[in-house]
Amino acid sequence: MPSNAKDVQVQLVTKIRDEDRSETMKVNEPGQFFTRGETQVLTFTEHPDEGDPIKTMITVKPNHVSIKRSGGVEMRQVFQKETETENLYHHTYGDFHMKTYTEKLEFRSLEESSEGRLDLSYQMTLNHEVTQAHRLTLTFEEEGES
């Protein structure tokens, strides 16, 4: 970890909606936040109830967010406002082709505020079949600060 890394508490809330159902997932984990030039990086490890831990690295650059997950699942998802990106999601149940169309991308850094925040709204299509609306809200703040 770089010397400017800060210990943070991460809360990730993902809401998924399709035609007839809605699902909300919440993750609260300790993590690290650091800045390298114009790039800001947040890392944390998810500990799902089932399966292996998942290391998550979120990289934020101006108008560009990338989420890389490894461990229990393998994936890299790229978000650019009003742009469609394609990725592969590798899961124990097989590989899925993903298309992501980002509608909203807003980021507030820990440098600007006591609480960092990432808001993403996007449409995701799995295997060219199922399209779901996703809303991801990630907040993080330095440990010991409140």
Side-chain angles (χ1 to χ4, degrees), residues 11-28:
Q11 182 182 46
L12 174 62
V13 178
T14 308
K15 293 182 180 175
I16 303 172
R17 213 175 55 248
D18 58 25
E19 290 169 11
D20 50 7
R21 66 186 189 94
S22 176
E23 181 182 359
T24 300
M25 294 167 288
K26 291 184 179 177
V27 173
N28 284 294

Side-chain angles (χ1 to χ4, degrees), residues 15-80:
K15 293 182 180 175
I16 303 172
R17 213 175 55 248
D18 58 25
E19 290 169 11
D20 50 7
R21 66 186 189 94
S22 176
E23 181 182 359
T24 300
M25 294 167 288
K26 291 184 179 177
V27 173
N28 284 294
E29 297 285 358
Q32 296 257 301
F33 173 80
F34 62 92
T35 303
R36 189 180 292 140
E38 283 198 327
T39 303
Q40 303 188 47
V41 180
L42 181 67
T43 62
F44 59 96
T45 301
E46 293 177 53
H47 296 88
D49 295 336
E50 297 173 12
D52 296 327
I54 301 165
K55 288 185 178 172
T56 301
M57 181 166 81
I58 299 173
T59 307
V60 181
K61 298 177 182 173
N63 303 312
H64 180 278
V65 172
S66 144
I67 299 178
K68 182 178 180 212
R69 301 170 86 203
S70 57
V73 299
E74 300 282 335
M75 68 175 272
R76 180 170 179 263
Q77 210 169 357
V78 175
F79 301 91
Q80 289 178 276

